[in-house]
Amino acid sequence: MAAQPLPVVDWEAVKEELEAIDDSWKQPRFDSLTHVVEVLTSHNPEDATQTLREQRDAIEALVDDVVRGYHKGFNKAIHNYSQILRLFSESATGLSGLKLQLADCKKLLGARHKQLQQQWYRSVILRNVISLLDQIDNVSKVPAKIEQYISEKRYYSAVQLHIQSISMLEREGIQGVGALQDVRAEFSNMKGVLFFKVVEDLHSHLYCKGEYSTSVIRDKNADDDLLNIDTMVLPAGSSHPFSRRTRTFKKSENGGDGSANGHVEDRRNSSDKSSISADSKDEELSQDESVGKESMKPKRATLVWLGDATPNEFVEAITKSDATLNVKYLQTMVECLNLLGKTAAAGALISQRLRQTVHDLIIEEIKAHAVAVDASRPRVEVSKISVSHKNGVLTLGLKKVQDSKHAKKVRASSEALTSIGPTGPGQTAARNLVEPVLAMLARVLANHVIVGKAMESHTGDDDTHSVSGYNIGFAVTVIQSECQQFICDILRANADATQTDSSGQAARQSKVTAADKSNAGPDEGLSFTFRFTDAMSLPGAVPRPVRRRGSANAQEGFGVSTVLSDRGMYLIASLYRPVLEFTDGFTSLLPEKYASLGKEGLHNFLETFIKDQFLPRIYVDYRTRAADALASSAAFRLKTRSSVTKMSSIALLGPSVADQLASEVVAWAHAMPKYAPEFLELVQTILERTLERCRAAYTEAVLGSLSSSIIGRTDVEQLMQQDPASVLLEADCPDHYPNGEDVELEMEMNNLLLSLRPIKHDQLIHGDQKFVLLAALSESLSSLATSIQNLGSQQKKNDMASKRPSNILPSGLHSLIAKYQDLSSECLRTLRIEMQLQAIHYLQSMTGRVYVSDHDAEEPEDFIVSFTSQITRWDEEMTFYISSAKRNYAFGGICGVAATAFVKALNDMSLVNVFGVRQICRNCIAFQQALAALSSTDADMVQQRLDRVRTYYELLTMPFEALIAFVNEHDSEFSFTEVSNLLKVNVPGREIPPDAVQRIGKVLAP
């Protein structure tokens, strides 16, 4: 049954009841006489007595409640107290008996003190002798045990056993044992064997070739788990290290490494790569297959190489560390060297082999990459593809045999350096080669940082050269040096020019003959490299020159040519970002005192190379190529129609090459954003030169023409700007501007142009090629302006993607956009005015003629046929080189000025008969058909304008009364002047009354 709940005591009620009792009842020396007298002397003794009884009952009830609630506890406390008293009593009795027994023992022992002391001393000696014999037996078995540990690669256990055995042999009792002399000699040899075994294993793991090394994964976007370094640092006053976390270099945000344990495994959160285990030891350990758990800390497992090791502070720290197995193993090897007292000797050996080993590693990586590239190449139809490509180039050359050599040079300039250009396949091949090499060197550097920190923790931070020249700074310097040699091999830079400045390089390059330049590749004659010293530059450090072993092999290069068919300084674009990421990455791993090495050496070499060699070479090459392309006689020759429609809207060879060169320079800027201002300055130079040549070509095309002289007039310029058709000059415009033109503005412009009559043939632009050139030049300039605008937007996107401050497009390029657009519009305005002047020139043949014929006209007149065929040719040629909207603008002025010219031509006609009117109408119909057939003309508008012209001339054949009726019905169709001119022409058979003009005026009066 469940226990009854204890009654709850209302302590507030108890408190109130106690406070209600008078203080006289609470006195320590309570005197009842006072209260008795008070009751007896009261007026009603019985009531007073009753009050006291009630107060007593209330207090007793509260006491009963408290007793009921706490009597069990009281009872238990009383019982426990009784037990304690009993136990104390028993203990006192037992102690009294013990004192008596001890006194008896003291008496007995005192009687035989000397005998006991002798026996005890003898037992101690015997135990020491037995222990010594056991130790001698165990020591004799140690060499075999150490050999077993060595074969199992349990070097730490072997070192521990060796040190323990050596210390045992140094004891007093064992030093004189002659039978152990051979054992001592064997231990001495065993120390050397252990040292070399440990150094060799450490060397293998330093260069990622050991049993516990991290697997190499060739994923440039993958996270490098090896760079998550945990370093063991010696605490002050302790001979064993403990673990602490250090800085971590990560290229991505993928969290921790995925080495689970027993062996090493790199697991990376990548869309293209799956987890790769190091070897079969990974299968013995549980692995988390979920990619989302890759950021978890690696699970701890028993470290195989620490098996049978004597537990100590180091073993405990290594076991509890969250570092990868590779890091733990390297730290264990350094601890072994420290215990052997061979840290300095090991540092000397590592430093001696460092350069040649790194050199060989780079060569191995290059060979492996070459094998992978060769395996990925297609094995079928390779020769056919190559032959087809060559035939395509040959066919192109046969089609252009008639071109000059300079024209071929322009085309060759536009296609040169495509392989090693900023986006060419050569850049991709170089980047694919450099990235795995740098990734491998990053892992090697990380290992050296681990080992260097561990060695310095044993030798002391102030004694940086206590390990015979080896430290982190030395390793970083040598590895950077070999990496620099590797990069120089790719860039085809000459290592012999290490002491030559940039001015000397430029002087040597200037001595290269023209013949050598024509036969050389894009980087022939280049000789540059930056060679930094191998000595340390730390405060207080003594420079130690390093002798390069195998320098002959180093001078032979790394075999880069087996992978890269094209090498040269232009490949710096593919190396810039990987090298910077490499230097920034290992810099984040270095201790503070070595941090300056990250910005020296390789990083400094790269920056110096770009500033002193690459940028000047780029500037000279691209400016020269642009100048050659624009100075060529074929610079403003039209490209083939297919190349314009399929590749680019820039129809001229010279501007097309300039645009391609500017785009390439911009691609260089994207590859090396730090130098974007210098590249953009080069782009501005190329585009400014292109604008100058385009303006010169425009001036040459319109030189001596009437259109070029009137296009600059203020009144003409204002009228053309106010013309609604000018909206077609804008970048984003419809193919046709909406109807509803300003009639008065158009008439003013037409009258201004008609006032220039007579227009001589010499005042016009001759040759269809010049018209097409103006159209193509306008479109090319507009496309170049658009390219500059896209350059600004693309630069802004790249700045946002790289999280750098946005680089504003230089003001010079902004002004170039306006200049290009202005010149493009000027070309179109000139083309529009020229076509209007051409129409006026041909139509002025009607002036002063007598249109009298005796037969009906079947064909238009010759000047109409000539002009319509000419504008048809213009339209056909321009269709491939200019947009529909701009063609509409160029041809759009012909119809209006022609309609006005037709009407005004009647003023100079003295005699016209019916057949003459039909001839004029036939001319008008032919003109209408030609304009309506143009690809960019509004046929309805053309029909409306020229139908009015035919109607106007057909009014000549009407009797005067019919004319009056027509005018009365269509009073807004023709003006008073136009109708009056109809009355002035002599038409055979038509009678005009004397008051005809007045009657017409009354009809047309408002």
Side-chain angles (χ1 to χ4, degrees), residues 945-997:
R945 296 281 184 88
L946 296 181
D947 282 350
R948 180 178 180 275
V949 173
R950 291 201 305 274
T951 302
Y952 182 71
Y953 276 94
E954 287 174 354
L955 293 177
L956 293 172
T957 62
M958 291 184 180
F960 178 73
E961 295 300 331
L963 177 62
I964 289 292
F966 178 85
V967 172
N968 190 21
E969 184 177 354
H970 305 86
D971 56 347
S972 61
E973 184 73 18
F974 299 101
S975 65
F976 173 76
T977 302
E978 291 173 341
V979 178
S980 299
N981 291 334
L982 288 173
L983 302 177
K984 297 176 183 180
V985 180
N986 183 10
V987 180
R990 186 181 69 165
E991 295 181 0
I992 303 297
D995 59 346
V997 176

Side-chain angles (χ1 to χ4, degrees), residues 842-843 845-846 849 851 855-869 902 915-930:
Y842 282 99
L843 293 179
S845 301
M846 299 172 60
R849 290 187 55 183
Y851 273 91
H855 61 277
D856 195 4
E858 296 181 357
E859 297 293 335
E861 294 184 83
D862 292 340
F863 66 88
I864 295 294
V865 173
S866 298
F867 182 69
T868 54
S869 61
F902 268 112
F915 291 114
V917 170
R918 292 181 179 178
Q919 179 65 59
I920 294 173
C921 291
R922 185 68 189 87
N923 292 344
C924 189
I925 291 172
F927 204 91
Q928 176 185 338
Q929 291 174 344

Side-chain angles (χ1 to χ4, degrees), residues 245-527:
R245 301 292 294 173
T246 59
R247 290 172 294 179
T248 303
F249 161 54
K250 294 287 184 181
K251 292 183 182 179
S252 64
E253 299 177 357
N254 289 344
D257 65 56
S259 291
N261 304 325
H263 201 51
V264 177
E265 179 182 354
D266 276 350
R267 299 189 304 174
R268 291 168 169 79
N269 185 11
S270 174
S271 59
D272 301 329
K273 301 292 183 179
S274 60
S275 297
I276 302 177
S277 58
D279 58 22
S280 60
K281 287 193 176 184
D282 290 334
E283 298 176 359
E284 301 175 3
L285 304 174
S286 60
Q287 302 291 338
D288 188 354
E289 299 296 335
S290 173
V291 178
K293 296 183 180 179
E294 289 181 0
S295 61
M296 296 177 61
K297 294 182 179 179
K299 299 176 182 179
R300 294 172 187 162
T302 303
L303 302 180
V304 178
W305 66 86
L306 291 180
D308 297 336
T310 302
N312 56 23
E313 191 175 350
F314 173 80
V315 174
E316 182 180 358
I318 280 287
T319 305
K320 292 181 179 180
S321 174
D322 291 333
T324 61
L325 293 182
N326 178 64
V327 174
K328 293 181 179 180
Y329 193 79
L330 290 173
Q331 293 167 347
T332 304
M333 294 298 101
V334 175
E335 180 66 16
C336 291
L337 295 173
N338 179 53
L339 293 176
L340 291 173
K342 294 286 189 177
T343 304
L349 288 177
I350 293 173
S351 61
Q352 290 174 5
R353 302 168 63 180
L354 177 59
R355 183 179 296 277
Q356 186 61 41
T357 304
V358 172
H359 188 86
D360 295 341
L361 282 176
I362 296 175
I363 294 177
E364 289 177 8
E365 191 70 26
I366 293 173
K367 290 180 179 179
H369 184 75
V371 172
V373 170
D374 185 66
S376 64
R377 288 174 180 168
R379 299 298 179 183
V380 183
E381 304 295 338
V382 175
S383 59
K384 293 183 180 179
I385 294 173
S386 177
V387 172
S388 174
H389 177 67
K390 292 180 180 179
N391 290 339
V393 175
L394 180 61
T395 304
L396 179 62
L398 292 175
K399 289 182 180 179
K400 296 295 179 181
V401 169
Q402 66 273 18
D403 290 348
S404 65
K405 292 182 180 180
H406 215 50
K408 294 178 181 179
K409 206 180 208 182
V410 172
R411 289 196 301 273
S413 176
S414 65
E415 300 173 359
L417 299 176
T418 56
S419 176
I420 57 176
T423 58
Q427 299 285 357
T428 304
R431 183 167 52 254
N432 292 339
L433 172 63
V434 168
E435 286 179 347
V437 172
L438 294 182
M440 177 269 297
L441 293 178
R443 286 187 285 272
V444 172
L445 263 173
N447 291 339
H448 278 283
V449 170
I450 298 166
V451 173
K453 285 183 179 180
M455 286 186 173
E456 289 183 7
S457 68
H458 292 303
T459 58
D461 294 338
D462 297 332
D463 188 10
T464 56
H465 286 272
S466 61
V467 288
S468 298
Y470 176 78
N471 53 27
I472 296 174
F474 176 82
V476 170
T477 304
V478 173
I479 292 175
Q480 283 192 95
S481 175
E482 288 302 316
C483 186
Q484 179 252 336
Q485 290 293 326
F486 167 62
I487 292 174
C488 286
D489 197 2
I490 296 176
L491 301 178
R492 288 170 56 184
N494 188 0
D496 295 335
T498 54
Q499 304 300 329
T500 306
D501 58 5
S502 58
S503 59
Q505 295 295 327
R508 279 206 305 276
Q509 290 183 19
S510 63
K511 296 179 181 179
V512 180
T513 62
D516 293 337
K517 288 184 180 180
S518 61
N519 297 328
D523 296 305
E524 285 293 328
L526 172 63
S527 179

Side-chain angles (χ1 to χ4, degrees), residues 857-920:
E858 296 181 357
E859 297 293 335
E861 294 184 83
D862 292 340
F863 66 88
I864 295 294
V865 173
S866 298
F867 182 69
T868 54
S869 61
Q870 182 170 281
I871 61 175
T872 301
R873 291 196 307 273
W874 291 344
D875 181 65
E876 291 176 353
E877 292 293 331
M878 292 181 187
T879 300
F880 298 97
Y881 304 109
I882 192 172
S883 64
S884 177
K886 293 182 178 179
R887 288 201 310 275
N888 187 10
Y889 179 80
F891 289 93
I894 297 177
C895 182
V897 75
T900 304
F902 268 112
V903 173
K904 288 185 176 295
L906 188 63
N907 299 341
D908 300 323
M909 294 182 186
S910 58
L911 182 62
V912 179
N913 65 357
V914 175
F915 291 114
V917 170
R918 292 181 179 178
Q919 179 65 59
I920 294 173

Side-chain angles (χ1 to χ4, degrees), residues 742-752 900 904 978:
D742 192 337
V743 178
E744 295 182 0
L745 186 69
E746 184 181 4
M747 287 302 300
E748 184 178 357
M749 185 67 183
N750 292 338
N751 291 334
L752 189 152
T900 304
K904 288 185 176 295
E978 291 173 341

Side-chain angles (χ1 to χ4, degrees), residues 714-860:
T714 305
D715 54 347
V716 174
E717 184 178 358
Q718 291 178 351
L719 289 174
M720 298 194 76
Q721 289 178 352
Q722 297 172 7
D723 189 356
S726 61
V727 299
L728 297 175
L729 297 177
E730 299 176 1
D732 299 330
C733 64
D735 291 343
H736 299 278
Y737 61 91
N739 292 327
E741 301 86 354
D742 192 337
V743 178
E744 295 182 0
L745 186 69
E746 184 181 4
M747 287 302 300
E748 184 178 357
M749 185 67 183
N750 292 338
N751 291 334
L752 189 152
L753 295 176
L754 290 171
S755 65
L756 301 175
R757 293 179 301 178
I759 298 175
K760 299 179 181 179
H761 187 264
D762 295 339
Q763 295 177 311
L764 301 175
I765 297 176
H766 304 295
D768 297 342
Q769 197 68 20
K770 290 185 177 181
F771 282 86
V772 180
L773 173 63
L774 287 176
L777 185 59
S778 173
E779 187 69 17
S780 299
L781 290 167
S782 179
S783 298
L784 285 170
T786 304
S787 296
I788 301 174
Q789 290 177 335
N790 294 337
L791 165 63
S793 60
Q794 190 173 6
Q795 184 71 14
K796 184 176 180 180
K797 290 180 180 178
N798 291 335
D799 293 338
M800 294 176 63
S802 59
K803 297 182 179 179
R804 292 180 290 105
S806 180
N807 292 331
I808 302 175
L809 202 63
S811 57
L813 289 179
H814 279 298
S815 61
L816 275 178
I817 294 175
K819 292 178 181 179
Y820 271 95
Q821 292 173 342
D822 291 344
L823 185 56
S824 175
S825 300
E826 186 175 350
C827 291
L828 280 180
R829 291 192 181 101
T830 303
L831 201 58
R832 181 183 177 95
I833 292 294
E834 182 63 30
M835 289 186 178
Q836 290 176 314
L837 294 177
Q838 292 273 356
I840 294 173
H841 170 71
Y842 282 99
L843 293 179
Q844 71 185 6
S845 301
M846 299 172 60
T847 304
R849 290 187 55 183
V850 176
Y851 273 91
V852 177
S853 178
D854 56 356
H855 61 277
D856 195 4
E858 296 181 357
E859 297 293 335

